[in-house]
């Protein structure tokens, strides 16, 4: 019991130090005007931390409208891609994880050790959405294929695509940093 309390105290101190060290460096181009705890790198309820490493915008098929902007954490290495959003208990609607692969090929993701429902968005090398797996079931080991070649995969909360009208053929644009 005492060890559990120590872990909570350490996590709280870590979160507070992250919040203090990042408040001065927050980017003003985020999708919301208020600074969220996630932008500051605060630990989530399970201890893993969302690290804002860029921003991403969804562009309508017509190219005329920006449908939504979110903050993204990047998964660029094999280890980062393997971990993904596993073990996280929550994520806000203005956050997502962008997986960046070195090549263009058919992909398949699963939800093993992932506690939140996700929409998994597969994107080709032209930044066009080629398929979406909506409302992926938490903790499922069922493969969720792209059906087409993808270089990028974006994970957002389950229901995100329906809520913000994100669809096949829409495009994305993102910036690191």
């Amino acid at each position: 019991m005492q060890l559990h309390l120590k872990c909570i105290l350490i996590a709280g101190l870590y979160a507070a130090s992250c919040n203090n060290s990042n408040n001065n460096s927050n980017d003003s181009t985020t999708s919301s005007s208020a600074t969220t705890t996630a932008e500051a790198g605060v630990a989530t309820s399970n201890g893993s931390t969302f690290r804002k490493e860029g921003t991403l915008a969804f562009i309508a098929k017509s190219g005329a409208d920006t449908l939504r902007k979110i903050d993204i954490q990047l998964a660029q290495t094999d280890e980062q891609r393997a971990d993904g959003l596993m073990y996280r208990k929550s994520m806000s609607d203005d956050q997502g994880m962008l997986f960046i692969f070195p090549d263009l090929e058919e992909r398949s993701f699963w939800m093993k050790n992932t506690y939140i429902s996700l929409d998994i968005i597969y994107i080709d090398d032209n930044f066009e959405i080629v398929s979406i797996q909506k409302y992926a079931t938490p903790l499922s080991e069922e493969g969720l294929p792209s059906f087409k070649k993808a270089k990028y995969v974006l994970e957002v909360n389950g229901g995100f695509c329906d809520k913000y009208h994100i669809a096949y053929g829409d495009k994305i644009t993102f910036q690191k940093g």
Side-chain angles (χ1 to χ4, degrees), residues 18-74:
C18 286
N19 195 19
N20 288 339
S21 67
N22 285 333
N23 275 345
N24 294 333
S25 64
N26 276 338
D27 185 77
S28 62
T29 62
T30 61
S31 60
S32 73
S33 58
T35 300
T36 65
T37 55
E39 287 176 31
V42 175
T44 59
S45 59
N46 66 334
S48 61
T49 302
F50 178 86
R51 292 180 315 277
K52 179 183 173 188
E53 297 174 321
T55 56
L56 182 142
F58 294 92
I59 311 299
K61 289 177 188 115
S62 66
D65 295 321
T66 297
L67 301 170
R68 179 82 173 147
K69 291 182 181 180
I70 63 171
D71 295 330
I72 52 171
Q73 181 172 344
L74 302 174

Side-chain angles (χ1 to χ4, degrees), residues 2-132:
Q2 223 171 14
L3 178 61
H4 181 71
L5 291 174
K6 285 181 182 177
C7 289
I8 291 172
L9 179 61
I10 290 169
L13 290 172
Y14 173 75
S17 70
C18 286
N19 195 19
N20 288 339
S21 67
N22 285 333
N23 275 345
N24 294 333
S25 64
N26 276 338
D27 185 77
S28 62
T29 62
T30 61
S31 60
S32 73
S33 58
T35 300
T36 65
T37 55
E39 287 176 31
V42 175
T44 59
S45 59
N46 66 334
S48 61
T49 302
F50 178 86
R51 292 180 315 277
K52 179 183 173 188
E53 297 174 321
T55 56
L56 182 142
F58 294 92
I59 311 299
K61 289 177 188 115
S62 66
D65 295 321
T66 297
L67 301 170
R68 179 82 173 147
K69 291 182 181 180
I70 63 171
D71 295 330
I72 52 171
Q73 181 172 344
L74 302 174
Q76 301 178 92
T77 67
D78 289 340
E79 183 180 355
Q80 291 168 335
R81 288 188 293 262
D83 289 345
L85 292 173
M86 289 194 312
Y87 305 108
R88 297 207 187 167
K89 303 285 186 186
S90 64
M91 183 169 65
S92 73
D93 246 11
D94 63 347
Q95 297 173 333
M97 179 171 278
L98 182 65
F99 295 76
I100 301 172
F101 292 91
D103 53 5
L104 182 70
E105 63 181 57
E106 287 192 26
R107 309 269 173 219
S108 186
F109 275 46
W110 65 353
M111 297 290 290
K112 184 177 181 178
N113 300 318
T114 306
Y115 296 107
I116 53 178
S117 177
L118 298 173
D119 284 357
I120 301 172
I121 305 167
Y122 295 99
I123 304 154
D124 69 13
D125 56 344
N126 292 317
F127 305 104
E128 182 176 325
I129 295 173
V130 295
S131 68
I132 302 172

